[in-house]
Amino acid sequence: KQEVTQIPAALSVPEGENLVLNCSFTDSAIYNLQWFRQDPGKGLTSLLLIQSSQREQTSGRLNASLDKSSGRSTLYIAASQPGDSATYLCAVNEGNDYKLSFGAGTTVTVRA
Amino acid sequence: DAMVIQNPRYQVTQFGKPVTLSCSQTLNHNVMYWYQQKSSQAPKLLFHYYDKDFNNEADTPDNFQSRRPNTSFCFLDIRSPGLGDAAMYLCATSRDGSGQPQHFGDGTRLSIL
């Protein structure tokens, strides 16, 4: 059974610092990995999706890397802003069914 | 521009009183999902529909049911809500088979009195 872990559970940084969020998964036979943002009391907003054949994806200040063999993905957010404060979740799709296995998320606070 | 719409955003019901949550989508996606998310926890898949084919997760409680009358709409029915069913319920869609990105609505926060 796939287990997805995100450590730390919470992170607080001053504005302008780069953010590094970690995601690890136990079964490397994944189809893709998706990073989501969740604001308090809201649903999930998809940030980036990395296919298993890719090493990274970029969108603006966001960059996600994937190392399937070691079971890790990292989300980098450059030059953090208070508006980046949210919970970030990663989820893996193993391709054999429709299920996404989620981590519990990292809650980020960017201090002005 | 909202693509996956959940109503209501907040729902309060009494212990044991049936409740229905709704989800609609304008993406014309084949697959619709219902997730349950409790505070500070990962979302947990309850069931999904591929078109009209219903798929129930093995550990989804029996008092949770779902209906998908057409492509655009999907409903989550909780027959006899208990206090442990208080959670955020998230609806998501994906275009078709596995590997497609999932698009989420804003969720319905369910409270049980």
Side-chain angles (χ1 to χ4, degrees), chain A residues 9-65:
Chain A
L11 187 59
S12 179
V13 300
E15 182 176 5
E17 191 164 301
N18 296 332
L19 281 163
V20 180
L21 306 178
N22 298 306
C23 173
S24 61
F25 45 95
T26 52
D27 188 341
S28 62
I30 67 168
Y31 200 83
N32 59 42
L33 183 145
Q34 205 167 350
W35 280 95
F36 294 90
R37 170 184 171 138
Q38 186 172 33
D39 292 296
K42 294 283 189 93
L44 306 182
T45 300
S46 181
L47 298 174
L48 291 166
L49 182 145
I50 314 176
Q51 301 292 352
S52 62
S53 57
Q54 296 175 315
R55 297 283 295 186
E56 65 178 330
Q57 276 283 356
T58 299
S59 175
R61 293 185 296 113
L62 276 58
N63 174 279
S65 66

Side-chain angles (χ1 to χ4, degrees), chain B residues 12-109:
Chain B
V12 181
T13 191
Q14 292 178 334
F15 182 93
K17 185 173 180 181
V19 65
T20 294
L21 311 182
S22 74
C23 177
S24 63
Q25 55 132 340
T26 60
L27 295 162
N28 204 33
H29 283 174
N30 287 319
V31 193
M32 294 187 78
Y33 311 78
W34 279 105
Y35 289 85
Q36 179 192 65
Q37 185 182 26
K38 296 188 177 180
S39 182
S40 301
Q41 293 184 20
K44 176 176 172 292
L45 183 65
L46 296 172
F47 14 64
H48 74 271
Y49 276 93
Y50 188 104
D51 196 10
K52 292 187 178 180
D53 291 335
F54 175 73
N55 295 271
N56 196 35
E57 292 300 298
D59 54 357
T60 297
D62 290 340
N63 70 327
F64 285 75
Q65 295 178 330
S66 184
R67 296 170 283 136
R68 188 178 185 187
N70 55 52
T71 301
S72 301
F73 285 87
C74 196
F75 299 98
L76 171 62
D77 301 308
I78 309 176
R79 283 189 296 187
S80 182
L83 296 178
D85 296 328
M88 173 74 88
Y89 290 88
L90 298 166
C91 174
T93 73
S94 65
R95 183 161 54 87
D96 50 32
S98 56
Q100 295 296 320
Q102 293 189 15
H103 303 267
F104 283 78
D106 276 342
T108 294
R109 169 74 65 189

